Amino acid sequence: MRKSVMVLLRPQQWLKNLFVLAPAFFAGSFLEVEVMRESLLTFLCFSALASSVYVYNDWFDRIADSRHPEKSKRPLASGAISGRTAFITGIFVLLFSFFIGFAFLNHQVLTVAGIYLVLNLAYTLNLKKIAILDVSCIAVGFVLRLLAGSVATGIELSSWIITLTFLLALFLALAKRRDDVVREQRGEERTRSSIKGYNLGFLDQAMTIMGSVVIVAYLQYCHAADRTIPIISSKLYLTAAFVVIGLLRYMQLALVEERSGNPTRILIEDRFTQINLLIWGGFFAWMLYG
């Protein structure tokens, strides 16, 4: 039972909440004790909040998930955990999230967390059924994580990092939908009603467009003269090489190997992506903190 509850909470998906740490990291302030404290508490708050969202999303989708080759292994879809246990678990982690927020974080973080919760409930109940709106909701969720990290630490965000986050998340969401379309074309049962609004031609072109504008947005961010982003090296644009390589690798996984259905799993399992991210992060950190 304990193992099933942990699987239900999807702790591996907490990696997405690393976006709340981005404002402090890119501002060159992450090593400041107070900034680090607020960032990590916000990460904990959003991780618990995200887990509650996953629990209720799984509860609503348990019947459809039972017909999916991979999602059928989830605790609710497989029957490993009861709906009552899942409901109580979801309430507990939701209350824990807001306890962290009320006890340690400011009201602005709570406001962003509330918007994130409402957005995800709307997504679970209806918006995920509407093509384009479904992937847009996912992308906005990443921007909200970024904003939470900003208001928690008082670090103002560059307009370019907000744009970049939205576009990158949209790119990943489109790749995920492509995997759903590929599965349906293989003869597997449709598990998302929004898939009827997509086909491979549209998704391949949309991913190409998003990948291109992500690169442009990243370069603009690197060259930005925004007073709130202390870029200390005129060579920061060189890190764009790793962004290009990373996007190409992800498109290879999506278009050639056809396994882009789980971005988190790719981050955990794909050695090429891991090495590229480590080099990019190390290079960026050296320029900001070295």
Side-chain angles (χ1 to χ4, degrees), residues 28 74 79 86 92 99 115 118 151 189 202 212 223:
R74 291 177 178 176
F92 177 79
F99 167 75
I115 295 172
V118 170
V151 298
E189 186 171 344
F202 170 79
S212 300
H223 290 299

Side-chain angles (χ1 to χ4, degrees), residues 3-278:
K3 181 179 179 181
S4 295
V5 170
M6 286 303 299
V7 173
L8 183 69
L9 296 178
R10 298 195 217 175
Q12 73 277 10
Q13 298 293 342
W14 295 349
L15 287 171
K16 298 175 182 178
N17 297 312
L18 291 175
F19 274 80
V20 306
L21 309 181
F25 175 78
F26 290 112
S29 305
F30 189 69
L31 298 181
E32 297 175 16
V33 175
E34 187 63 25
V35 170
M36 184 184 295
R37 174 184 176 275
E38 297 299 316
S39 295
L40 292 177
L41 283 171
T42 304
F43 172 82
L44 180 61
C45 174
F46 263 74
S47 293
L49 184 60
S51 284
S52 70
V53 169
Y54 288 132
V55 169
Y56 293 115
N57 184 70
D58 282 0
W59 190 88
F60 280 106
D61 288 351
R62 63 192 185 283
I63 296 176
D65 286 350
S66 67
R67 300 191 293 266
H68 191 280
E70 291 186 9
K71 295 178 182 179
S72 60
K73 301 174 184 177
R74 291 177 178 176
L76 273 169
S78 65
I81 195 170
S82 69
R84 181 175 180 274
T85 300
F87 184 83
I88 294 173
T89 301
I91 290 292
F92 177 79
V93 291
L94 180 62
L95 291 175
F96 177 73
S97 171
F98 278 94
F99 167 75
I100 295 294
F102 279 108
F104 302 106
L105 300 169
N106 61 52
H107 70 279
Q108 291 175 301
V109 177
L110 285 171
T111 299
V112 176
I115 295 172
Y116 176 86
L117 179 60
V118 170
L119 174 68
N120 278 277
L121 288 175
Y123 174 84
T124 297
L125 293 173
N126 190 52
L127 296 181
K128 67 180 180 183
K129 302 174 184 177
I130 307 172
I132 298 180
L133 272 184
D134 60 337
V135 292
S136 298
C137 286
I138 294 172
V140 171
F142 279 88
V143 173
L144 288 173
R145 291 177 173 95
L146 193 70
L147 290 175
S150 172
V151 298
T153 58
I155 296 172
E156 188 178 347
L157 293 172
S158 161
S159 59
W160 281 112
I161 197 171
I162 296 174
T163 303
L164 177 61
T165 298
F166 178 81
L167 294 172
L168 178 59
L170 196 57
F171 171 84
L172 295 175
L174 288 166
K176 191 171 184 177
R177 290 297 173 268
R178 188 185 191 281
D179 186 77
D180 291 330
V181 171
V182 169
R183 287 180 180 277
E184 184 177 2
Q185 291 188 348
R186 289 173 182 164
E188 297 177 13
E189 186 171 344
R190 177 183 294 174
T191 56
R192 292 182 186 272
S193 56
S194 66
I195 295 304
K196 63 180 179 235
Y198 298 111
N199 60 35
L200 289 184
F202 170 79
L203 289 167
D204 289 351
Q205 291 190 45
M207 285 180 63
T208 300
I209 293 170
M210 286 302 108
S212 300
V213 294
V214 163
I215 294 169
V216 173
Y218 185 83
L219 286 170
Q220 289 289 343
Y221 164 73
C222 290
H223 290 299
D226 194 315
R227 62 181 176 80
T228 64
I229 304 294
I231 294 177
I232 61 175
S233 174
S234 61
K235 303 297 184 183
L236 198 59
Y237 69 91
L238 294 175
T239 60
F242 302 110
V243 174
V244 174
I245 291 171
L247 288 171
L248 287 175
R249 172 56 176 169
Y250 207 88
M251 291 189 74
Q252 181 186 47
L253 292 171
L255 277 62
V256 180
E257 300 184 22
E258 296 185 338
R259 57 184 184 98
S260 60
N262 193 328
T264 304
R265 179 179 295 176
I266 289 173
L267 183 60
I268 294 173
E269 298 178 355
D270 187 60
R271 189 59 56 85
F272 187 105
T273 299
Q274 292 171 350
I275 293 173
N276 187 59
L277 277 174
L278 283 173

